[in-house]
Amino acid sequence: MSLPEPSTSGRFGEFGGRFVPETLVPACLELEKAFRSAWADPTFRGELDALLADYAGRPSPLTECHRLSEELGVRMLLKREDLNHTGSHKINNVLGQALLARRMGKTRLVAETGAGQHGVASATAAALLGMECMVYMGEVDMQRQALNVFRMRLLGAEVVPAMSGSRTLKDAVNEAMRDWVATVESTHYCLGSVMGPHPYPWMVREFHTVIGTESRQQCAELLDGGVPDVVTACVGGGSNAIGIFSGFADTEAELVGVEPAGGAAVGRGVPGVVHGMKSYLMQDEFGQVQEAHSISAGLDYPGVGPEHSHLASIGRARYEQVTDAEVIDAFQLLSRTEGIIPALEPAHALAWVSRDRAALAGRTVLLNLSGRGDKDVAQMMDVLG
Ligand SMILES: *Cc1c(COP(=O)(O)O)cnc(C)c1O
């Protein structure tokens, strides 16, 4: 393992921790204990690996992009998380958490969702394992993402509108946590990124290290035992990024996370506490959490996972910001040159490579293609006319 465990209090440097009400502390401790034991248990690991292979379709391929490389003057390798079942990296985490919940004797999953992608993934895992599933979603998001609401219901989940605050993702997180406190005997809270109170940032990272482990081996085969010069990924909460970074943290590879300019928690945030963790957070002058704005609903979160805050503060990773206009160009660039329509989230990472192509000339860049673009084509049809 190339990224260390957090401290016993769940800290990555000064970030992370477990900032929850007293009533939630026992649930977090129980979860940490259960995860630690499961992760060390070859039977659990074998079950999860079998599901990742036979259900999710792992290992995902590594694709060398010849035409894109020629156009950019940068050797581009894509880790194809877009080819997983349900269309993104999210399945790695939800299969892990659902299996863990079952092992803990729980019969019900609650989840929060913004754009709906994590809700759909959670509903998928619940259907597969025969568990009940309740997904909290801001009322505003439910209207914006009606198709995903329908998908979740089709998969047998109940979707509950979060009516408080701005009626978006951060309100859905609060309601999911409230549900968990009240029902912890039967319920596991299936959190969607490397966020929240300890042990979530660590546990969710571990469920995504499969991306980094596979990539490291695939790169070694392609690059004669070498590693790419740069490893890049988009950062919302930061789960797909930490997953691929984990495979290269012990190498010379530069690690670059890419945020939307309108949701740049690392780039424009300050340390604060929200949703059970200390991390960089976009706040106004009064310390109120600011709304994030991005063309990609999946990156619309004002915070970031605490380990990214730590990696930024020690200089092991750096974080770049791109605009919606740059993302729209990158979305078309990959479609046109490689026949791969990306999700708007990983198009952020490509947007940065494309903008910095002069500085990256001749180097090898591994980009985590976290998801496929099917969910975004209708929106892009409107944007592009
Ligand atoms: C949800 C999502 C993201 C953002 O989540 P992270 O935790 O930052 O990885 C990125 N890409 C895709 C395709 C997603 O569905």
Side-chain angles (χ1 to χ4, degrees), residues 88-90 117 193 234-240 298-299 343 345-346 370-371:
S88 83
H89 68 293
K90 287 191 168 72
Q117 298 302 115
S193 191
C234 64
V235 175
S239 68
N240 88 87
L299 298 181
E345 293 90 348
S370 55

Side-chain angles (χ1 to χ4, degrees), residues 33-375:
K33 191 166 165 224
F35 172 67
R36 197 176 286 285
S37 126
W39 207 230
D41 178 355
T43 308
F44 179 84
R45 300 290 286 259
E47 275 177 348
L48 179 55
D49 286 348
L51 281 186
L52 290 173
D54 306 335
Y55 185 73
R58 303 206 73 92
S60 66
L62 187 81
T63 301
E64 171 146 28
C65 296
H66 297 285
R67 282 179 24 85
L68 177 66
S69 300
E70 192 167 300
E71 178 128 354
L72 293 176
V74 179
R75 186 175 183 188
M76 292 298 302
L77 312 177
L78 298 183
K79 179 59 173 166
R80 302 294 306 280
E81 294 297 297
D82 61 317
L83 295 178
N84 295 335
H85 178 49
T86 68
S88 83
H89 68 293
K90 287 191 168 72
I91 194 77
N92 306 327
N93 173 40
V94 295
L95 288 178
Q97 288 199 48
L99 265 189
L100 180 63
R102 189 173 74 177
R103 180 181 160 109
M104 294 170 78
K106 314 236 165 169
T107 54
R108 180 172 175 267
L109 296 181
V110 294
E112 82 296 338
T113 199
Q117 298 302 115
H118 174 60
V120 170
S122 300
T124 300
L128 176 69
L129 298 186
M131 303 176 87
E132 254 182 87
C133 183
M134 189 177 269
V135 180
Y136 289 90
M137 187 168 189
E139 198 212 7
V140 171
D141 289 333
M142 281 180 72
Q143 285 167 13
R144 285 194 290 217
Q145 306 289 338
L147 206 53
N148 276 336
V149 174
F150 178 70
R151 279 196 186 96
M152 287 182 257
R153 291 182 170 150
L154 199 59
L155 292 161
E158 193 179 332
V159 185
V160 184
M163 307 292 288
S164 59
S166 55
R167 289 168 293 142
T168 57
L169 177 59
K170 66 181 170 55
D171 312 296
V173 176
N174 290 330
E175 307 240 337
M177 284 198 175
R178 212 166 295 148
D179 181 318
W180 190 35
V181 181
T183 60
V184 67
E185 290 289 306
S186 64
T187 300
H188 171 69
Y189 175 22
C190 184
L191 210 157
S193 191
V194 283
M195 314 249 310
H198 183 55
Y200 282 102
W202 168 51
M203 177 176 74
V204 175
R205 178 191 85 191
E206 292 299 288
F207 287 139
H208 282 302
T209 53
V210 64
I211 306 172
T213 307
E214 285 177 10
S215 299
R216 179 76 178 265
Q217 193 184 343
Q218 289 165 324
C219 283
E221 278 162 29
L222 188 71
L223 306 174
D224 263 341
V227 296
D229 299 306
V230 178
V231 179
T232 188
C234 64
V235 175
S239 68
N240 88 87
I242 210 78
I244 200 157
F245 288 178
S246 72
F248 301 90
D250 63 340
T251 72
E252 299 273 280
E254 242 185 274
L255 308 178
V256 182
V258 184
E259 304 178 298
V266 183
R268 287 177 30 212
V270 292
V273 172
V274 76
H275 295 148
M277 63 181 183
K278 179 178 181 189
S279 197
Y280 284 121
L281 186 64
M282 288 184 20
Q283 302 171 34
D284 65 19
E285 56 188 312
F286 307 108
Q288 291 290 323
V289 178
Q290 277 182 326
E291 290 291 309
H293 294 287
S294 158
I295 191 168
S296 159
L299 298 181
D300 252 353
Y301 184 76
V304 66
E307 195 169 11
H308 287 291
S309 296
H310 175 60
L311 292 175
S313 72
I314 62 172
R316 178 61 190 95
R318 70 188 164 96
Y319 295 80
E320 297 277 345
Q321 291 78 39
V322 294
T323 65
D324 287 353
E326 290 170 322
V327 172
I328 293 166
D329 286 345
F331 177 83
Q332 296 173 86
L333 174 67
L334 188 62
S335 302
R336 175 168 54 75
T337 55
E338 296 292 334
I340 298 170
I341 301 176
L344 285 170
E345 293 90 348
H348 283 67
L350 183 59
W352 166 69
V353 175
S354 179
R355 184 177 71 203
D356 272 18
R357 64 178 83 177
L360 294 167
R363 303 177 78 195
T364 301
V365 174
L366 170 64
L367 185 153
N368 196 10
L369 195 69
S370 55
R372 66 177 83 124
D374 304 35
K375 68 182 177 59

